[in-house]
Amino acid sequence: MPDSRQRAVTSAKRNALTLVAVVLGMFGFGYAMVPLYSALCEIAGFNGKTSTEAVVESGVPAVDTSRSIKVQFLTTVNGGRNWEFKPMQSSVMVHPGEFATVVFHARNTESADLVAQAIPNVAPVEAARYLRKSECFCFNNQPFKAGEEKMMPVRFVLDRDIPDEVDTVTLSYTFFDVTQSAAQSAAASPNS
């Protein structure tokens, strides 16, 4: 009997260690999803991802005043956080080639400092390659002190080559909490 009891205890320990390894693996995979998703979508142009490189305003062709396109803005916060994050205008009308600026409001409603990263998405997908930004809070991590609020501008232009059938473009941002990865990056940086 003692031998079977010892085997049962050994088996239970092995199962517990396996479960812990699976949970840690799942956590690590979930933690790595944001940067992996961003990198894959930027490389492949999937899911309406836009470039994180700023466009130089002087290199944009003249404005096409013969047509207008509605650009609407949506925001979400990942992970059920209670942060405030919204555009100050729900939409704007722009001519292709015309720069527009829209301001977003964000507030850290938590009692601790945090770092957020906004991931953009554009719909319809084919419009993503015609949307260029000269300024965007999505280019960098956004640190927030506890209770801090910010007004964050996005300056963009739709290329004149945007297809004629596109009359509405939706630019959406999802805010992710990247506090831990930002702290790890800062700790690993030789300049810190």
Side-chain angles (χ1 to χ4, degrees):
M1 278 296 205
D3 192 34
S4 65
R5 181 174 282 166
Q6 185 176 6
R7 277 186 283 185
V9 168
T10 302
S11 178
K13 285 181 182 179
R14 187 176 23 241
N15 288 343
L17 286 174
T18 301
L19 286 173
V20 167
V22 167
V23 168
L24 289 175
M26 288 172 40
F27 176 77
F29 181 73
Y31 186 73
M33 282 303 297
V34 172
L36 290 174
Y37 172 79
S38 293
L40 175 66
C41 290
E42 190 169 319
I43 290 167
F46 292 147
N47 201 20
K49 294 288 288 183
T50 61
S51 172
T52 57
E53 294 179 18
V55 65
V56 178
E57 292 190 35
S58 62
V60 177
V63 176
D64 177 2
T65 57
S66 68
R67 59 187 263 213
S68 294
I69 298 174
K70 180 179 182 178
V71 181
Q72 53 192 17
F73 308 98
L74 302 173
T75 58
T76 57
V77 176
N78 186 52
R81 300 271 190 181
N82 193 28
W83 306 337
E84 291 177 13
F85 179 43
K86 64 182 179 183
M88 298 308 291
Q89 297 172 261
S90 61
S91 65
V92 294
M93 295 298 291
V94 298
H95 299 294
E98 172 185 37
F99 270 89
T101 302
V102 175
V103 177
F104 289 73
H105 172 264
R107 185 167 76 92
N108 175 7
T109 58
E110 298 183 12
S111 59
D113 296 354
L114 63 87
V115 179
Q117 176 65 54
I119 304 296
N121 189 34
V122 178
V125 174
E126 63 269 13
R129 62 187 233 193
Y130 300 99
L131 177 73
R132 307 278 184 249
K133 299 176 202 161
S134 64
E135 180 180 357
C136 184
F137 55 88
C138 63
F139 292 160
N140 301 302
N141 288 346
Q142 298 296 320
F144 287 86
K145 298 285 185 198
E148 181 181 10
E149 56 187 299
K150 294 183 181 184
M151 301 303 273
M152 305 178 303
V154 173
R155 186 155 173 81
F156 67 94
V157 63
L158 292 172
D159 288 347
R160 289 173 49 106
D161 297 335
I162 191 165
D164 291 338
E165 62 271 9
V166 176
D167 61 358
T168 302
V169 174
T170 302
L171 178 56
S172 62
Y173 290 97
T174 302
F175 245 171
F176 289 87
D177 183 353
V178 295
T179 306
Q180 287 183 334
S181 63
Q184 289 170 352
S185 294
S189 174
N191 297 333
S192 57

